[in-house]
Amino acid sequence: DAKTTQPPSMDCAEGRAANLPCNHSTISGNEYVYWYRQIHSQGPQYIIHGLKNNETNEMASLIITEDRKSSTLILPHATLRDTAVYYCIVDVNYGGSQGNLIFGKGTKLSVKP
Amino acid sequence: NAGVTQTPKFQVLKTGQSMTLQCAQDMNHNSMYWYRQDPGMGLRLIYYSASEGTTDKGEVPNGYNVSRLNKREFSLRLESAAPSQTSVYFCASSEEVLGGRETQYFGPGTRLLVL
């Protein structure tokens, strides 16, 4: 079973910030939080990851609560092309190239004009 | 730089037929993976390969075999296809990233229908 809980769907107006929540209350101290997205019919795409500090890259920002039991992915200016299913994933294995990303059902984000 | 490529894009099989799904990456990654995605579901790991010459089972390996032919290529074989194997199959590869965890890069997928 996925170790994360996400709302099944969310809407966002084009140009506004999209804030996607994720609960991971059983996360271990050295597990990372990863976000991927899947645009319709395409392979998943990596967005961002973090351990305990907030992270930002050219695609998004990741805010992790101090107790690490939840996080929020922020798309600062959502566009129609950001319509996708967003997966919050807690890392299962460590190093050694044994990555087993457990994908849940994710959040379907619909960006509307 | 093509990233991760998969062939074929689409395939229709009859029950009992066999086929091999091909995957190749040009990013010099050590690790490669095969996932399946059923309608409305997340991805589930079938097999992975941490390096050339090694393979390990994932969550749903039954009915599949894999071969890590070399560092670039990782193939998935269905020896006797069943309707339950109708799915979209994604191949992925990964690198080590600073901070201890790996980013996976996915191919475009192979859509398989077993009649």
Side-chain angles (χ1 to χ4, degrees):
Chain A
D1 291 335
K3 297 171 70 172
T4 62
T5 304
Q6 299 177 252
S9 63
M10 292 182 63
D11 290 340
C12 178
E14 188 178 17
R16 305 296 292 268
N19 297 286
L20 291 88
C22 180
N23 288 320
H24 31 78
S25 58
T26 60
I27 191 170
S28 299
N30 53 357
E31 287 183 313
Y32 287 75
V33 179
Y34 269 68
W35 283 84
Y36 283 74
R37 73 180 182 183
Q38 188 174 24
I39 297 170
H40 181 63
S41 298
Q42 298 181 21
Q45 176 190 25
Y46 164 80
I47 302 173
I48 198 167
H49 76 285
L51 182 61
K52 48 186 166 184
N53 297 324
N54 297 338
E55 301 288 344
T56 295
N57 63 20
E58 65 278 6
M59 290 183 67
S61 294
L62 174 61
I63 308 298
I64 303 174
T65 58
E66 192 169 341
D67 64 7
R68 301 207 328 120
K69 293 185 177 182
S70 65
S71 60
T72 301
L73 178 73
I74 301 172
L75 308 178
H77 305 286
T79 70
L80 299 178
R81 288 177 294 179
D82 292 322
T83 292
V85 178
Y86 287 77
Y87 296 98
C88 170
I89 301 165
V90 167
D91 176 50
V92 179
N93 293 307
Y94 310 95
S97 300
Q98 293 181 18
N100 180 6
L101 297 178
I102 297 180
F103 287 80
K105 293 188 178 182
T107 295
K108 181 172 173 53
L109 175 69
S110 298
V111 181
K112 300 182 184 300
Chain B
N1 202 348
V4 179
T5 57
Q6 294 183 235
T7 56
K9 288 187 170 57
F10 303 96
Q11 185 71 48
V12 179
L13 291 178
K14 295 180 179 178
T15 297
Q17 286 185 317
S18 63
M19 79 160 296
T20 299
L21 282 64
Q22 306 287 353
C23 174
Q25 53 93 7
D26 61 2
M27 296 174 282
N28 202 35
H29 290 168
N30 284 320
S31 302
M32 298 185 72
Y33 313 83
W34 276 105
Y35 292 87
R36 61 176 286 174
Q37 185 174 33
D38 299 325
M41 304 292 290
L43 280 72
R44 293 183 293 170
L45 185 68
I46 305 172
Y47 271 93
Y48 64 94
S49 170
S51 61
E52 183 179 350
T54 68
T55 61
D56 285 285
K57 294 178 180 179
E59 181 186 355
V60 288
N62 291 342
Y64 305 95
N65 286 301
V66 289
S67 295
R68 184 72 183 269
L69 304 169
N70 47 56
K71 192 171 186 179
R72 287 190 65 247
E73 298 171 292
F74 189 37
S75 62
L76 178 72
R77 183 160 178 83
L78 288 70
E79 291 290 352
S80 179
S84 60
Q85 294 178 305
T86 293
S87 191
V88 181
Y89 291 85
F90 291 102
C91 177
S93 68
S94 69
E95 61 182 18
E96 294 289 340
V97 294
L98 189 64
R101 207 51 200 108
E102 302 168 351
T103 297
Q104 293 192 15
Y105 297 86
F106 287 80
T110 293
R111 283 147 185 81
L112 177 65
L113 173 63
V114 183
L115 302 174

